Amino acid sequence: MFSPADAPKLPSVSVRPSEVEEGSSVTLTCSSDANPAAQYTWYKEDRTPLHGAGGTYNFPSISSEDKGIYYCECENQFGRINSSLSLNVQYAPKLPSVSVRPSEVEEGSSVTLTCSSDANPAAQYTWYKEEEESPKASGQNFTITDVRPEHSGNYSCEAQNTRGSQRSTVALTVVPGAVKSTAAAVTAAVLLPVMFLSVCLWIRTKRTSNGSSEPEVGADSREQRVGGQGRPEEQDEPQYASVHFSNNQADPLYSNIRAAQPHRHSEEVTEYAAVRFHSPAPRTEETREDASAPLYSTINKTR
């Protein structure tokens, strides 16, 4: 039977399998009723031609970059027409990108951690802090208000969908706020001079205490020298005393003691003291009355 010539009809397009996963093999098919038979060409949305045969095109191992809109164009000498389909490729989340705003976090301020990942289906985001098993928050953005020093540390963002999951980590560092820094500076400015003055007073007190104790030691030393050793330079010089007895009976009973003056001519000169004792006269009636007279001793230092 003779068929009249005709331009291609609207093409029928399909994809197999219907649910496309990254890494799998995928075939695009296009067919159209035309007389004479149509020529088929596949194009991606950017009009990049895909070379196939008989209206089919095969992806041996499809990737996430292959997703998009595809067109099948049918053409013969009587006309040209095309149809399109959307190729949806599912894949696990790519490595998440994480950031902190602001980059320098002051204590008492607010900070937002952001996480994003390319995934199909769309990823769900969960935030964790290092060494803590329970999640801190969920969602693409994690905001901390009234930041404190204990908030410092590493935070990881997990992006997950039905095809898999990926994690990335960001460090959060908390620095003292401007008010606290100023207060710390003022405190340091006040405390440092006070500490310095305290140290100076302590040193002065210690020196005064040491100085007041030295004369006592000196006094003791002088007492020891006077008691038996004499002056330091004369400690090794022997001293003697000479005793003279007087037979003068007319004199009352006395002891004349003369201490020898030290000679300064030479360090080797020996010092003497002359001591005289007067013998008492025979007692008479007059002298008995004076029996209670005191006994004196005189010391004459010889020159």
Side-chain angles (χ1 to χ4, degrees), residues 171-242:
L172 176 62
T173 303
V174 180
V175 298
V179 175
K180 292 190 176 182
S181 298
T182 303
V186 172
T187 303
V190 172
L191 289 179
L192 286 177
V194 172
M195 293 174 63
F196 178 76
L197 289 176
S198 299
V199 172
C200 291
L201 289 174
W202 179 80
I203 294 175
R204 183 176 179 181
T205 303
K206 189 172 181 64
R207 288 179 176 175
T208 303
S209 176
N210 292 339
S212 62
S213 63
E214 288 177 357
E216 297 178 0
V217 176
D220 294 341
S221 300
R222 286 194 297 272
E223 290 178 1
Q224 293 176 0
R225 290 195 294 268
V226 171
Q229 296 180 0
R231 291 183 300 272
E233 62 274 9
E234 298 173 358
Q235 289 180 2
D236 295 334
E237 298 179 3
Q239 299 186 14
Y240 303 90
S242 60

Side-chain angles (χ1 to χ4, degrees), residues 152-172:
S152 295
N154 294 326
Y155 290 82
S156 61
C157 168
E158 181 181 68
Q160 183 177 19
N161 66 7
T162 56
R163 300 299 178 182
S165 64
Q166 286 273 22
R167 279 195 183 195
S168 288
T169 302
V170 65
L172 176 62

